[in-house]
């Protein structure tokens, strides 16, 4: 550019232009993804370690892009958050997952708890509690069968607003779990004010469980001990080995989720998986 500083060429590099273009294109595609029915949900079971029974399932969104194929949430949720599209996507996820739970309940799975991820933007929107109430009413799903997963950082973006919202939803009977616990900057004084029922230990700490005396194992143990004292359910995410499961069981962890049990899968596959699991 004329008259620009000598380092300005960086802003006009073809690669960067291509990347910005790709991003804009992806954003436009994402804007239409819902109406074009390109979003889909997979469900991953969560097992109770005490009873060995499936306690619930977590809904995880995917995007089947017509040109690029299946896109993982980590590759489009950040863009959705940045652009605000996450509000519309979040509504779609909650509605679709609750409608699915209704069908499972009609097929006799009345004890299943449905876990749904909420992003920071959703927690900042004042009408969320009304939206959730409407979705529950429309699907006939009882509030105590819905567990909303939130992260420490998303709560801390606007603590006052988040606390008020969580309290209203808690009064309705909705459950809350802190997701990826241990990876954010935890404010314990604030955390204890939240109406929480569960903590999910981040996968990164579970991976280090087998190294005796390692830091990850120490952190996982501390989170489990603290959760028990605070009367919170504690769930380990990303459990991949039998060794990890046994270790978690001996530490008193309440539940596990991970590839050891099952990968996230489409709703029909989950129903078949549940039938097989119950037969064992
Ligand atoms: P998350 O909520 O922590 O979800 C768990 C992620 O770990 C999932 O990745 C799941 O497939 C993966 N996982 C489960 N078990 C194992 C295991 O044993 N080993 C390994 N290596 N991975 C395992 P996924 O589905 O790609 O989702 C990534 C993240 O995207 C989620 O992390 C969540 O933060 C976000 N996400 C997914 N769906 C939604 C949604 O509907 N709304 C929002 N706001 N975020 C979502
Ligand atoms: Ca989650
Ligand atoms: Ca998680
Ligand atoms: Ca995670």
């Amino acid at each position: 550019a004329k008259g620009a500083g000598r380092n300005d060429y960086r802003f006009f590099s073809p690669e960067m232009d291509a990347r910005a273009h790709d991003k804009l294109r992806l954003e436009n595609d994402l804007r239409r993804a819902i109406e074009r029915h390109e979003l889909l949900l997979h469900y991953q079971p969560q097992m109770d370690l005490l009873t060995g029974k499936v306690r619930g399932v977590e809904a995880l969104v995917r995007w089947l892009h017509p040109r690029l194929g299946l896109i993982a949430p980590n590759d489009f949720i950040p863009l959705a958050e940045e652009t605000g599209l996450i509000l519309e996507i979040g509504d779609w996820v909650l509605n679709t997952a609750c409608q699915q739970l209704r069908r499972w309940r009609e097929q006799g799975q009345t004890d299943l708890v449905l876990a749904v991820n909420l992003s920071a933007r959703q927690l900042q929107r004042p009408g969320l509690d009304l939206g959730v109430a409407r979705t529950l009413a429309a699907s006939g799903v009882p509030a105590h069968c819905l567990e909303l997963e939130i992260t420490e950082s998303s709560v801390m973006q606007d603590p006052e607003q988040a606390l008020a919202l969580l309290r209203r939803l808690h009064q309705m009977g909705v459950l809350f779990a802190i997701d990826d616990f241990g990876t954010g900057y935890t404010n314990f004084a604030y955390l204890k004010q939240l109406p929480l029922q569960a903590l999910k230990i981040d996968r990164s700490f579970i991976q280090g469980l087998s190294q005796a005396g390692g830091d990850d194992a120490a952190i996982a143990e501390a989170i489990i001990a603290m959760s028990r004292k605070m009367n919170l359910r504690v769930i380990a995410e990303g459990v991949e080995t039998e060794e990890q499961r046994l270790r978690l069981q001996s530490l008193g962890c309440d539940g596990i989720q991970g590839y050891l049990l099952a990968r996230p899968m489409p709703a029909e596959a989950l129903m078949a998986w549940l039938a097989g699991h119950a037969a064992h």
Side-chain angles (χ1 to χ4, degrees):
K2 235 181 149 192
R6 59 200 150 134
N7 284 328
D8 273 10
Y9 65 90
R10 282 192 190 156
F11 295 97
F12 298 100
S13 81
E15 301 104 77
M16 282 208 34
D17 191 47
R19 242 178 290 149
H21 178 78
D22 281 353
K23 194 176 161 189
L24 200 64
R25 187 163 166 185
L26 204 64
E27 182 185 331
N28 283 328
D29 289 352
L30 189 54
R31 225 170 262 290
R32 295 186 192 94
I34 295 181
E35 61 190 61
R36 291 182 179 172
H37 306 287
E38 290 167 6
L39 295 183
L40 51 122
L41 292 180
H42 280 181
Y43 299 87
Q44 187 180 36
Q46 187 189 101
M47 190 181 81
D48 188 298
L49 279 176
L50 198 67
T51 63
K53 284 188 180 163
V54 175
R55 184 232 176 200
V57 296
E58 177 176 1
L60 294 157
V61 71
R62 277 97 183 81
W63 179 13
L64 188 56
H65 191 283
R67 192 165 36 85
L68 303 170
L70 203 62
I71 306 183
N74 286 335
D75 292 327
F76 68 91
I77 292 288
L79 180 65
E81 281 172 345
E82 205 179 300
T83 55
L85 286 170
I86 190 66
L87 293 177
E88 208 186 322
I89 293 173
D91 285 347
W92 180 86
V93 168
L94 189 66
N95 274 308
T96 306
C98 283
Q99 288 300 331
Q100 184 57 58
L101 183 62
R102 178 179 61 85
R103 286 193 285 277
W104 284 329
R105 288 174 62 80
E106 285 166 1
Q107 291 167 37
Q109 300 285 348
T110 50
D111 294 333
L112 276 189
V113 172
L114 171 71
V116 173
N117 294 285
L118 282 193
S119 79
R121 288 260 198 156
Q122 289 174 281
L123 278 176
Q124 284 156 27
R125 185 166 57 166
L128 180 72
D129 52 335
L130 299 176
V132 171
R134 233 178 292 131
T135 300
L136 290 173
S139 59
V141 167
H144 67 265
C145 291
L146 178 65
E147 185 167 72
L148 299 176
E149 297 193 0
I150 56 182
T151 63
E152 297 157 280
S153 59
S154 70
V155 167
M156 293 316 290
Q157 287 195 16
D158 187 349
E160 289 300 312
Q161 162 70 14
L163 183 59
L165 197 62
L166 263 54
R167 284 195 172 139
R168 286 199 296 274
L169 284 160
H170 175 66
Q171 267 163 16
M172 287 163 46
V174 173
L175 309 172
F176 286 98
I178 294 276
D179 207 354
D180 305 334
F181 190 76
T183 59
Y185 296 92
T186 303
N187 178 339
F188 286 101
Y190 183 71
L191 190 72
K192 73 172 191 195
Q193 292 185 51
L194 300 177
L196 298 176
Q197 286 72 48
L199 294 183
K200 294 184 86 171
I201 309 175
D202 191 67
R203 175 157 58 90
S204 56
F205 304 115
I206 305 307
Q207 281 167 339
L209 262 188
S210 43
Q211 290 144 270
D215 289 346
D216 287 343
I219 292 170
E221 285 171 29
I223 294 174
I224 293 170
M226 181 189 77
S227 303
R228 288 167 67 89
K229 290 218 174 83
M230 290 174 76
N231 263 322
L232 296 173
R233 281 178 53 80
V234 57
I235 296 125
E237 56 177 34
V239 178
E240 294 183 354
T241 69
E242 188 60 23
E243 186 192 5
Q244 289 165 346
R245 185 185 71 83
L246 290 169
R247 192 72 212 289
L248 289 160
Q249 197 153 27
S250 73
L251 290 172
C253 186
D254 296 293
I256 57 167
Q257 193 180 330
Y259 295 170
L260 174 67
L261 202 60
R263 292 190 177 240
M265 60 187 119
E268 313 77 59
L270 184 92
M271 207 53 201
W273 184 89
L274 282 174
H277 187 83
H280 284 120

